Amino acid sequence: MPRKAKVHTEMDDDGDVELTVKQPTPPPTSPSTIIKGKSKSKSASGTRTPPPTGLRQRIKNTVDEISKETEELHVRLWKKDDGHYKLLAPGTPFNEIDLSESTFFRHDGHKGKPTWSSWLFGRKFVFPAGVILGICLALWAVDLTTLPADMKDIWSTLPAALDPRDLLANLTVVEGARRALENRDFTVGESLVEQYGLQKHHPIVLIPGIVSTGLESWGTESVARPFFRKRLWGTSTMIRAVLTNKDRWIQALSIDPETGLDPPGFKIRAAQGLDAARILIGYWIWQKIVENLATLGYDTNSMDMAAYDWRLAYYNLETRDAYFTRLKGRIETMRRHNGQKVVLCSHSLKWVESDPKENGFGGGGGAAWVEENIESWINVAGTMLGVSKAMTAFLSGEMRDTVELHPAGSWVLEKFFSRRERAKLFRRWPGSTSMWMKGGNRIWGNDSSAPDDPTNATDTHGRFFSFRHPGTSEEESSLNRWTVSPNLTLNEAGPYVLTHTPPSFQRMMESNYSVGFERDEEQLKRNDRDHTKWSNPLEVRLPEAPSMKIFCLYGHGKETERSYWYMQGEYEHDDTRSDAENEDAYCDTTDPSNGCDNSTTLRAPLDFPLSRKHWIDSVVTVKGSNPEVRSGVKFGDGDGTIPVISLGSMCVKGWNGTTRWNPAGIEVITQEYLHSPESMDLRGGAQTADHVDILGATPLNTAILKIAAGRGDLVTQQIGSEIFEYVKKQDWD
């Protein structure tokens, strides 16, 4: 048995390695074995031992594999500046061999000393420099006059010149960006706990608004199985469904126009729990309020979200889902469990009071139920008297957001989801009809003036729809009483929209909603038993609950679409014509099972084209007008979605004190929040008053937490708009 060689290994501070191998009986050994260092040893199991990864270990492994019988040999590995090694073996044929290309000796962790040229032309410099250069070119080429209003607000906060010294000196921009990136979660609740010692007191039920609740599919028919238990509204699944199978998605989300319930083959239900409206397509909705309530000690035993299928009319919401009956039971359970009345945020309570034995529907709470169970009703940015954009959505499927798109974006939208398709979908959501404008000319103005017209007005919001004649120039000088007609007030605009909707929509509207103005107190009492009036605060009384409080919390100071310029197109065949029982008269192409095409469908005799194309006259932009007219839209004050007139009129006038609409004299506190967005925050920051983003604003969260914690006395009236001037000009008598 030959003796093993004695091996001595040394590595100096520079990384050079010296090997000394001594053996008195030198056997013939191939030098290539020393240089290549290939191991032929195997493990006990017969498998090859994986080569070590470190340089020191690889050298040691090579030495161990050197023939056991050899003469003394000195080998030195010299590390060059570039991190590679050179072999020094004096007296052998392998002296000064460069090992740079040898994978065995390659040292990947060493990159060598960086040079200015390698850094300058490397990706770490070129890529960021290209990004900065592209941004600078875009800022230099941008035309400020074409920027949307929100972008103009952001632009105004930036330095006037693109001088790097100004950018560095303008610390307010840097500070704004820093604040925008800070995590503001829980901060409102934590500050109130520290300042007032607030803690959980009244249980609270959150009720989302229209389109806020996620909707998921429960249908098991073949057409619906691919969507089972997937959210078709409110998540990225909705976007995928629209992009991959738009017609099937529209069919699933549409309400049957005849029954007002699920279409054949589909079953869509509202998601439940606090997650039902916490986040919508990646953006928080009620999440901030939930987080801040949790800092006061709230959890699922004291806080709940009463989500609902907002597509349904209220009557069918109770008929199909027993929503108001279940809401009544949920509130009563929370009151008993927590020992305190419940704070409701927010919905009409007549449905809960209604006696199902007497009226055939309702929660059966009775007239005293609200007084016994409800502490406060928080009305957050409620669409009390309707929304202007709802009228245009039903008429032409448009609103400000669609007409102010870039022409390229408008073309894509029209090709992918046309105005006609959008209008048809809106008409198949009966629940959205609750946003129809209410009160007529008494509230919204007449042909000559409107309550919210600005001082020195050159036009009026009272003319809700103004139609420019085809062929007339959009220049201001060409727009006069001979070239613009008809001019429709709200009293005329409502019926006009209805006549351009399908008969099924008209029947649904008649059987579920009312948009009038009622002054007679005896009739208001009778309306307590007419469910078609309950969504209109101008035609129904508040509950007999004198100890309850109402808090109206909403924003103002953001331009909001208020009235419109329109164009009338040619007449066309559509489903707005009169009823026809014969299947040959009409075939719905949105239902793939019908297998039909309206362009070839046989029509009944004398079936004239009664529908007419409509679109917002986006080319009309009157510079210097008062109110402002841009892209066919006339703007007023509001929260970006709802005009101030709708948000505040009932709160500061109709319900203020003991009135015919508030016979119990329920106290109403109104807080308005001025829209003051932070330019570096995409959601507006802590002081935003936008219709949706206000749910994350500090003032609103502060008010809700004080009310829930039993300190509603800290929430006092705060008015910043001209709502008091507006209600003086309205006809309430």
Side-chain angles (χ1 to χ4, degrees):
M1 186 75 179
R3 293 177 298 171
K4 295 184 178 180
K6 298 181 180 180
V7 181
H8 178 67
T9 305
E10 292 184 357
M11 178 176 286
D12 58 23
D13 295 338
D14 295 330
D16 298 344
V17 181
E18 182 175 357
L19 308 178
T20 303
V21 183
K22 295 181 179 181
Q23 176 61 37
T25 308
T29 304
S30 172
S32 62
T33 305
I34 303 175
I35 302 303
K36 295 180 181 179
K38 294 182 180 178
S39 174
K40 298 182 180 180
S41 64
K42 295 185 179 181
S43 63
S45 61
T47 60
R48 184 179 298 274
T49 304
T53 57
L55 175 64
R56 189 189 298 272
Q57 292 299 322
R58 289 200 298 270
I59 295 174
K60 184 178 183 302
N61 184 69
T62 302
V63 173
D64 290 341
E65 295 302 321
I66 293 177
S67 176
K68 300 178 177 58
E69 304 295 337
T70 185
E71 61 185 6
E72 182 176 324
L73 179 66
H74 294 276
V75 180
R76 183 178 179 84
L77 295 178
W78 175 58
K79 186 174 68 173
K80 300 188 296 182
D81 290 340
D82 60 1
H84 295 132
Y85 285 87
K86 177 185 288 188
L87 178 67
L88 300 178
T92 72
F94 307 103
N95 187 30
E96 297 189 3
I97 293 179
D98 189 358
L99 302 179
S100 300
E101 301 302 323
S102 173
T103 58
F104 178 80
F105 289 104
R106 185 172 297 161
H107 192 37
D108 293 331
H110 189 282
K111 302 298 182 182
K113 296 181 180 179
T115 63
W116 278 104
S117 60
S118 63
W119 178 83
L120 183 62
F121 296 102
R123 287 179 296 177
K124 290 184 178 180
F125 173 78
V126 174
F127 182 75
V131 172
I132 295 173
L133 178 61
I135 294 175
C136 292
L137 290 174
L139 294 175
W140 174 76
V142 70
D143 183 2
L144 295 181
T145 61
T146 63
L147 284 177
D150 293 342
M151 291 297 295
K152 289 180 181 177
D153 294 339
I154 297 176
W155 186 270
S156 63
T157 65
L158 297 176
L162 294 178
D163 189 332
R165 292 170 298 181
D166 293 337
L167 290 172
L168 292 175
N170 193 344
L171 298 180
T172 58
V173 175
V174 178
E175 179 66 14
R178 185 189 65 79
R179 290 199 308 268
L181 295 175
E182 283 183 346
N183 190 336
R184 293 189 290 108
D185 300 342
F186 311 107
T187 55
V188 175
E190 290 173 345
S191 63
L192 290 176
V193 170
E194 180 179 353
Q195 183 177 2
Y196 296 103
L198 299 186
Q199 59 183 351
K200 179 189 71 175
H201 190 70
H202 295 289
I204 185 169
V205 175
L206 308 174
I207 302 182
I210 297 291
V211 310
S212 297
T213 300
L215 303 176
E216 58 188 26
S217 175
W218 282 85
T220 57
E221 299 291 336
S222 58
V223 293
R225 284 183 181 178
F227 298 143
F228 184 73
R229 290 304 310 278
K230 294 180 180 179
R231 287 200 184 182
L232 297 185
W233 185 269
T235 64
S236 58
T237 303
M238 175 188 76
I239 299 176
R240 290 197 299 269
V242 173
L243 294 176
T244 57
N245 197 336
K246 181 185 68 175
D247 291 338
R248 185 61 55 86
W249 177 83
I250 292 175
Q251 185 184 3
L253 265 292
S254 296
I255 292 296
D256 187 286
E258 300 299 331
T259 65
L261 300 172
D262 298 305
F266 292 93
K267 183 187 291 185
I268 303 295
R269 296 293 181 268
Q272 297 299 311
L274 291 174
D275 287 336
R278 185 176 62 90
I279 295 178
L280 188 71
I281 320 181
Y283 294 93
W284 51 260
I285 303 294
W286 289 85
Q287 176 177 323
K288 302 300 181 183
I289 292 176
V290 171
E291 290 172 348
N292 285 303
L293 284 169
T295 61
L296 270 61
Y298 283 87
D299 53 30
T300 53
N301 292 325
S302 51
M303 172 174 52
D304 200 0
M305 182 170 288
Y308 62 99
D309 189 342
W310 43 267
R311 302 171 305 149
L312 297 178
Y314 295 145
Y315 180 85
N316 285 326
L317 189 61
E318 173 65 17
T319 300
R320 192 194 73 178
D321 299 342
Y323 174 79
F324 298 102
T325 300
R326 294 163 60 188
L327 176 61
K328 169 179 171 290
R330 191 179 310 184
I331 291 174
E332 291 173 347
T333 300
M334 295 183 74
R335 178 182 58 80
R336 289 193 298 267
H337 180 74
N338 293 272
Q340 297 290 340
K341 292 183 181 181
V342 176
V343 170
L344 191 63
C345 179
S346 80
H347 213 290
S348 172
L349 295 170
K350 284 296 180 183
W351 293 91
V352 179
E353 296 176 338
S354 177
D355 185 353
K357 295 181 179 179
E358 181 179 356
N359 298 326
F361 51 83
W369 184 87
V370 174
E371 176 68 13
E372 296 171 356
N373 292 275
I374 303 299
E375 168 66 21
S376 301
W377 172 34
I378 306 175
N379 175 32
V380 179
T383 56
M384 303 301 299
L385 300 181
V387 189
S388 300
K389 66 171 64 176
M391 311 296 286
T392 62
F394 293 125
L395 179 61
S396 64
E398 297 175 287
M399 55 193 69
R400 168 199 173 183
D401 302 321
T402 60
V403 299
E404 287 200 333
L405 285 174
H406 188 276
S410 299
W411 183 86
V412 173
L413 179 62
E414 187 64 20
K415 291 295 182 182
F416 183 74
F417 209 163
S418 67
R419 292 193 301 264
R420 182 174 177 178
E421 289 176 315
R422 298 195 299 268
K424 192 171 186 178
L425 183 59
F426 291 143
R427 295 166 188 167
R428 290 198 172 185
W429 289 342
S432 62
T433 315
S434 62
M435 297 188 295
W436 197 282
M437 297 174 73
K438 306 168 181 66
N441 291 5
R442 286 178 173 271
I443 299 296
W444 299 95
N446 52 42
D447 186 74
S448 60
S449 65
D452 55 342
D453 282 345
T455 305
N456 301 322
T458 59
D459 197 351
T460 176
H461 290 305
R463 294 193 286 268
F464 189 73
F465 288 150
S466 294
F467 293 89
R468 179 171 62 95
H469 293 178
T472 301
S473 171
E474 69 273 12
E475 297 297 328
E476 183 178 5
S477 58
S478 302
L479 303 177
N480 50 56
R481 60 177 180 171
W482 294 282
T483 60
V484 178
S485 66
N487 289 294
L488 305 181
T489 64
L490 189 60
N491 281 352
E492 300 158 337
Y496 184 87
V497 174
L498 278 176
T499 58
H500 291 84
T501 58
S504 57
F505 182 86
Q506 298 172 17
R507 289 194 297 269
M508 180 280 301
M509 180 78 176
E510 178 67 21
S511 59
N512 287 279
Y513 299 101
S514 179
V515 295
F517 186 104
E518 185 57 64
R519 294 177 297 171
D520 184 81
E521 295 186 21
E522 293 301 318
Q523 183 60 47
L524 284 170
K525 292 179 181 179
R526 290 191 290 270
N527 288 348
D528 288 345
R529 302 174 62 179
D530 184 355
H531 73 90
T532 64
K533 310 292 185 180
W534 296 348
S535 62
N536 182 3
L538 292 168
E539 294 187 284
V540 70
R541 304 182 304 165
L542 288 175
E544 293 285 346
S547 65
M548 184 182 78
K549 293 182 177 62
I550 296 177
F551 295 89
C552 296
L553 313 176
Y554 60 86
H556 74 99
K558 185 175 184 180
E559 66 173 20
T560 304
E561 52 195 289
R562 172 65 171 82
S563 50
Y564 305 87
W565 285 82
Y566 253 85
M567 283 290 287
Q568 294 175 324
E570 67 276 11
Y571 286 92
E572 61 180 351
H573 283 284
D574 198 2
D575 55 354
T576 57
R577 62 186 183 279
S578 58
D579 293 312
E581 297 296 332
N582 186 352
E583 291 184 358
D584 288 339
Y586 178 68
C587 188
D588 188 356
T589 57
T590 62
D591 187 349
S593 63
N594 287 337
C596 64
D597 182 354
N598 275 342
S599 62
T600 59
T601 298
L602 297 177
R603 296 184 177 277
L606 301 180
D607 179 22
F608 296 107
L610 300 179
S611 176
R612 195 170 192 177
K613 290 183 179 179
H614 295 87
W615 62 92
I616 293 178
D617 197 359
S618 59
V619 300
V620 176
T621 296
V622 183
K623 296 182 179 180
S625 61
N626 199 13
E628 181 183 0
V629 180
R630 189 175 69 248
S631 299
V633 179
K634 290 186 281 187
F635 294 92
D637 188 16
D639 65 1
T641 296
I642 308 175
V644 164
I645 281 185
S646 179
L647 291 164
S649 292
M650 291 303 300
C651 301
V652 303
K653 178 63 177 181
W655 292 335
N656 189 21
T658 303
T659 69
R660 57 174 66 94
W661 299 281
N662 183 14
I666 298 173
E667 183 180 2
V668 181
I669 298 95
T670 301
Q671 273 200 354
E672 294 183 339
Y673 310 115
L674 178 64
H675 182 56
S676 303
E678 296 178 8
S679 57
M680 302 301 293
D681 193 321
L682 295 179
R683 298 300 299 272
Q687 301 299 320
T688 182
D690 176 82
H691 181 66
V692 175
D693 294 341
I694 194 174
L695 293 174
T698 296
L700 178 73
N701 276 258
T702 299
I704 292 176
L705 265 60
K706 289 177 179 178
I707 296 166
R711 294 302 309 274
D713 58 296
L714 298 176
V715 181
T716 58
Q717 183 157 291
Q718 173 183 303
I719 303 295
S721 73
E722 298 182 20
I723 185 63
F724 284 126
E725 297 300 319
Y726 297 161
V727 296
K728 290 179 181 178
K729 300 176 184 178
Q730 294 169 338
D731 184 4
W732 292 90
D733 298 321

